[in-house]
């Protein structure tokens, strides 16, 4: 339900700030998304190369430099984006759309190289095409951090309507209809 009321996402600002803090401490943010299109958007938002989660896993498991990546050996330029070092952070955007087994595999890879994985996403968004649910399980745990302010919309009424839809409240359709967002 994109429209003219969308503003720069607070999530983007937070990811940029996180990447900056990591760089200041000599570490790298390795951004991954669940599709090539989403990785392209993520990369543009962060002004760095972002990759597809599946491509990352391929490079570490069966890609031409997989053994070198697992050993922490140097790799050619085209594979350097997939190398991990201690202290680096792998960020999976839209993590609710990532398969549970893929997230587990990524976590094991990162841990083997001293890196960490951070998941960012909405546990109520579209589910993963593969067996999913990891983000929903994490969200259900006490102490799981959540963004508490919706930044995506300039219009507070649109933000409220979006949250109503997210919660399954059909009353929100009224806002979309009266705002000219529903057309036959």
């Amino acid at each position: 339900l994109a429209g003219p009321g969308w503003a720069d996402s607070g999530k983007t600002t937070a990811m940029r700030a996180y990447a900056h803090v990591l760089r200041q401490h000599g570490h790298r943010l390795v951004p991954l998304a669940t599709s090539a299109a989403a990785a392209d958007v993520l990369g543009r938002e962060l002004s760095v190369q972002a990759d597809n989660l599946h491509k990352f896993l391929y490079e570490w498991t069966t890609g031409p430099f997989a053994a070198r990546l697992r050993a922490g050996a140097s790799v050619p330029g085209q594979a350097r984006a997939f190398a991990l070092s201690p202290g680096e952070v792998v960020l999976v955007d839209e993590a609710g759309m990532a398969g549970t087994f893929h997230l587990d595999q990524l976590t094991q890879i990162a841990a083997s190289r001293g890196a960490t994985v951070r998941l960012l996403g909405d546990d109520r968004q579209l589910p993963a095409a593969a067996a999913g649910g990891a983000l929903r399980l994490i969200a259900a745990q006490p102490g799981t951090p959540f963004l508490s302010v919706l930044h995506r919309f300039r219009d507070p009424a649109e933000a409220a309507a979006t949250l109503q839809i997210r919660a399954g409240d059909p009353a929100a359709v009224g806002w979309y209809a009266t705002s000219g967002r529903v057309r036959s």
Side-chain angles (χ1 to χ4, degrees), residues 46-66:
L46 296 177
S47 301
V48 297
Q49 178 183 336
D51 282 292
N52 180 305
L53 171 62
H54 299 279
K55 170 74 171 156
F56 185 92
L57 294 174
Y58 163 79
E59 293 295 340
W60 272 82
T61 56
T62 57
F65 305 105

Side-chain angles (χ1 to χ4, degrees), residues 86-101:
E88 293 184 333
V89 176
V90 180
L91 175 72
V92 181
D93 192 24
E94 305 298 349
M97 297 178 69
T100 299
F101 294 114

Side-chain angles (χ1 to χ4, degrees), residues 17-165:
Y18 191 42
H20 175 75
V21 168
L22 286 170
R23 278 193 306 274
Q24 294 299 310
H25 289 90
H27 301 296
R28 179 176 65 121
L29 181 70
V30 180
L32 300 177
T34 54
S35 72
D40 182 54
V41 170
L42 180 61
R44 281 186 278 134
E45 287 177 345
L46 296 177
S47 301
V48 297
Q49 178 183 336
D51 282 292
N52 180 305
L53 171 62
H54 299 279
K55 170 74 171 156
F56 185 92
L57 294 174
Y58 163 79
E59 293 295 340
W60 272 82
T61 56
T62 57
F65 305 105
R68 297 179 67 78
L69 286 168
R70 288 191 302 269
S74 64
V75 291
Q78 70 267 30
R80 283 192 199 125
F82 304 106
L84 292 176
S85 297
E88 293 184 333
V89 176
V90 180
L91 175 72
V92 181
D93 192 24
E94 305 298 349
M97 297 178 69
T100 299
F101 294 114
H102 293 135
L103 291 175
D104 180 57
Q105 190 176 19
L106 175 65
T107 303
Q108 289 180 35
I109 289 168
S112 75
R113 298 295 309 135
T116 58
V117 175
R118 298 289 181 250
L119 306 178
L120 185 60
D122 185 343
D123 61 302
R124 295 187 190 176
Q125 255 183 337
L126 289 172
L135 200 59
R136 284 189 303 276
L137 290 172
I138 293 167
Q141 297 301 308
T144 299
F146 289 91
L147 294 176
S148 58
V149 177
L150 188 61
H151 295 278
R152 183 165 284 177
F153 302 95
R154 291 187 187 111
D155 181 352
E158 183 174 11
T162 298
L163 291 174
Q164 283 179 298
I165 284 180

